[in-house]
């Protein structure tokens, strides 16, 4: 069972923005009910106010439904909500005509309340919501203009002056246009957030692909020439052997030497590909996190550390950074390197872990840390650290905070500890 607010923490940043946008549209419906329906009780009798409030509530519910369907359509999850939009047009017309009828036949003094508030208000809200379900600025302007013209035409049964009808149509045009622009901007912002998130994922994939190409290019440079020489010398050895020439043995010895040399060079290429310098990884992590909009703080000295220690800790930084980008929703990441009693301690802490009520640290590590305590990421890091007698601890340490700590003994300290035990 999730803790309160856990449903929000497990969402990615685009999903959070989408939830906020969706509920903002729903809140517009609540504002419509409060501004047009509830306030009617202070302007007219209870019976008429209740009827108006029910009409406004029906209209606000239809607006909420259309805005939600339009948002899903924008994200490509549903077809265009044509029928719900036409249903909203019908509901808006019914509510407006009912308001006109009540204003025309109702008790004296209640004309302005019904015609001015409910009548004009529902048309403004409907114009703003329906523009969410169409594309192109011309169509959106046409929708708002159609509602404004309709608002002016429906005033003729009230025998309102022409100037008043024009003013009312203008108010619907301006207010409906403002609501439409606000709604469209919210959708544009949501799409931009999703596009940025996809761009971040693409950047990560391109970085991986670039590294693979670099490795393939280095491997080709090493092996291409040597394999060509091996092929030529092997062919020469075959020809010499067929002629009974003793030089064939020398050629095969040379082929053997080149093959062993190629094996050593391939080993060096792979070793260089697998090694990770701590200072380089820290700089790379700072750049990637900054590009992803995450604040990063790096403290501590890395100079003077042995190469094998730097390689092991560099992999910890690389794995932790990758998983923060892929699985978490962190706003801040802190990396600390410090010396403590002959050991170097690396700490990577972020605030992007989801809060659950699981029994172990692995339940939430998958979002803020390296894929859980039982995942292949941590297992691989432990194997690398064990080669230098290091240890690794990972898990949540507070409300939404995940910490990964790697400790590696320095060679001198490890030798001193061994002498102390022997004595």
């Amino acid at each position: 069972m999730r803790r309160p607010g856990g449903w929000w923490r497990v969402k990615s940043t685009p999903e959070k923005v989408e939830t906020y946008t969706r509920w903002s549209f729903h809140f517009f419906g609540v504002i419509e009910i409060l501004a047009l329906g509830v306030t009617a009780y202070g302007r007219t009798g209870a019976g008429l106010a209740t009827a108006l409030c029910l009409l406004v509530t029906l209209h606000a519910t239809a607006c909420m439904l259309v805005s939600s369907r339009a948002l899903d359509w924008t994200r490509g999850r549903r077809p265009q909500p044509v029928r719900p939009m036409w249903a909203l047009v019908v509901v808006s017309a019914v509510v407006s005509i009912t308001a006109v009828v009540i204003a025309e036949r109702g008790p004296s003094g209640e004309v302005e309340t019904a015609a001015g508030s409910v009548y004009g208000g529902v048309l403004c809200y409907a114009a703003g919501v329906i523009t969410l379900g169409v594309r192109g600025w011309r169509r959106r302007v046409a929708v708002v203009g159609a509602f404004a013209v309709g608002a002016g035409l429906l005033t003729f049964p009230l025998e309102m002056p022409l100037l008043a009808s024009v003013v009312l149509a203008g108010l619907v045009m301006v207010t409906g246009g403002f609501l439409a622009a606000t709604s469209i901007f919210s959708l544009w912002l949501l799409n931009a957030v999703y596009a940025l998130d996809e761009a971040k994922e693409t950047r990560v994939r391109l970085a991986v692909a670039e590294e693979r190409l670099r490795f393939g290019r280095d491997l080709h440079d090493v092996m291409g020439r040597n394999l060509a020489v091996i092929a030529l010398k092997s062919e020469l050895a075959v020809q010499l052997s067929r002629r009974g020439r003793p030089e064939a043995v020398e050629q095969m010895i040379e082929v053997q030497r080149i093959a062993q040399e190629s094996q050593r060079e391939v080993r060096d290429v792979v070793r260089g590909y697998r090694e990770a310098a701590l200072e380089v990884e820290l700089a790379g992590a700072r750049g990637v996190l900054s590009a992803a909009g995450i604040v990063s703080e790096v403290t501590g000295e890395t100079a003077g550390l042995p190469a094998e220690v730097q390689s092991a800790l560099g992999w910890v930084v690389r794995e932790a950074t990758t998983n923060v980008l892929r699985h978490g929703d962190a706003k801040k990441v802190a990396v600390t390197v410090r010396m403590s009693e002959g050991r170097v301690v690396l700490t990577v802490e972020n605030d992007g872990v989801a809060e659950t009520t699981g029994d172990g640290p692995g339940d939430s590590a998958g979002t803020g840390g390296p894929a859980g305590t039982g995942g292949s990421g941590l297992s691989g890091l432990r194997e690398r650290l064990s080669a230098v007698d290091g240890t690794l601890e990972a898990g949540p340490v507070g409300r939404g905070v995940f910490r990964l700590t790697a400790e590696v003994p320095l060679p001198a300290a490890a030798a001193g500890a061994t002498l102390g035990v022997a004595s």
Side-chain angles (χ1 to χ4, degrees):
M1 185 177 181
R2 293 177 181 172
R3 298 177 185 176
W7 67 275
W8 178 260
R9 289 185 176 272
V10 299
K11 291 178 177 291
S12 64
T13 298
E15 290 173 342
K16 289 180 178 179
V17 176
E18 180 179 347
T19 301
Y20 169 78
T21 303
R22 189 181 301 275
W23 283 100
S24 296
F25 292 152
H26 293 341
F27 188 65
F28 283 160
V30 176
I31 293 177
E32 179 182 0
I33 296 173
L34 295 177
L36 303 181
V38 176
T39 56
Y41 283 96
R43 301 177 182 178
T44 185
L48 182 58
T50 301
L52 293 174
C53 188
L54 291 175
L55 290 173
V56 172
T57 302
L58 174 64
H59 185 268
T61 303
C63 288
M64 294 179 187
L65 176 63
V66 171
S67 62
S68 183
R69 295 290 181 85
L71 194 151
D72 290 336
W73 169 66
T74 302
R75 295 303 313 152
R77 304 190 191 104
R78 289 177 179 268
Q80 186 178 15
V82 177
R83 291 184 178 180
M85 288 192 298
W86 278 111
L88 178 58
V89 172
V90 173
V91 171
S92 302
V94 170
V95 174
S96 300
I97 292 173
T98 304
V100 170
V101 172
I102 292 176
E104 187 177 26
R105 301 183 180 181
S108 177
E110 297 176 354
V111 176
E112 294 182 358
T113 300
S117 299
V118 176
Y119 169 76
V122 295
L123 295 177
C124 293
Y125 277 101
V129 169
I130 290 181
T131 54
L132 294 174
V134 296
R135 287 196 175 103
W137 66 270
R138 293 183 179 179
R139 294 181 180 179
R140 288 163 177 164
V141 171
V143 168
V144 177
F147 273 92
V149 172
L153 294 178
L154 289 177
T155 58
F156 285 102
L158 294 177
E159 298 181 355
M160 293 179 61
L162 179 61
L163 180 60
S165 299
V166 173
V167 171
L168 181 59
L171 288 175
V172 172
M173 185 75 177
V174 173
T175 308
F178 174 77
L179 293 175
T182 303
S183 302
I184 293 168
F185 177 77
S186 298
L187 287 183
W188 174 85
L189 182 62
L190 175 62
N191 291 329
V193 171
Y194 269 106
L196 289 175
D197 186 69
E198 293 173 359
K200 183 178 71 174
E201 293 295 330
T202 302
R203 184 168 58 247
V204 173
R205 289 194 297 269
L206 288 176
V208 173
E210 183 179 357
E211 185 65 15
R212 289 175 177 172
L213 288 174
R214 184 193 69 80
F215 177 70
R217 185 170 56 251
D218 293 345
L219 191 61
H220 176 270
D221 293 342
V222 169
M223 294 298 297
R225 173 182 57 84
N226 290 350
L227 288 176
V229 175
I230 289 174
L232 290 174
K233 286 188 173 293
S234 298
E235 183 178 355
L236 178 59
V238 170
Q239 297 296 331
L240 293 174
S241 177
R242 288 175 178 175
R243 297 175 185 176
R245 301 283 295 276
E247 292 88 347
V249 177
E250 296 179 0
Q251 294 297 328
M252 290 309 299
I253 293 175
E254 182 68 12
V255 168
Q256 183 182 21
R257 185 192 67 78
I258 296 174
Q260 292 173 346
E261 180 69 15
S262 299
Q263 187 179 20
R264 184 189 62 79
E265 291 180 352
V266 169
R267 237 186 249 116
D268 291 340
V269 171
V270 174
R271 186 182 299 112
Y273 177 73
R274 289 179 176 175
E275 288 181 353
L278 181 56
E279 188 66 29
V280 174
E281 293 299 329
L282 290 175
R286 187 185 296 110
V288 171
L289 293 172
S290 176
I294 301 175
V295 178
S296 60
E297 295 182 0
V298 180
T299 57
E301 293 293 333
T302 62
L305 294 177
E308 62 273 12
V309 175
Q310 288 210 33
S311 178
L313 295 180
W315 270 101
V316 174
V317 174
R318 180 184 298 183
E319 184 72 17
T321 303
T322 301
N323 284 279
V324 166
L325 294 174
R326 290 182 178 177
H327 307 294
D329 189 24
K331 302 296 184 296
K332 181 179 179 181
V333 176
V335 182
T336 304
V337 181
R338 59 185 175 87
M339 307 292 179
S340 176
E341 300 178 355
R343 304 174 69 86
V344 56
V345 181
L346 170 68
T347 303
V348 182
E349 188 173 289
N350 72 85
D351 59 356
V353 67
E355 293 189 7
T356 62
T357 56
D359 297 329
D363 295 327
S364 58
T367 55
T373 56
S376 60
L378 289 184
S379 299
L381 291 181
R382 287 193 174 96
E383 290 178 3
R384 294 179 185 277
L385 289 172
S386 64
V388 290
D389 298 326
T391 60
L392 181 71
E393 295 181 359
V397 294
R399 186 176 179 84
V401 178
F402 185 91
R403 179 183 299 163
L404 186 147
T405 303
E407 295 188 14
V408 178
L410 296 175
T418 302
L419 291 175
V421 173
S423 62

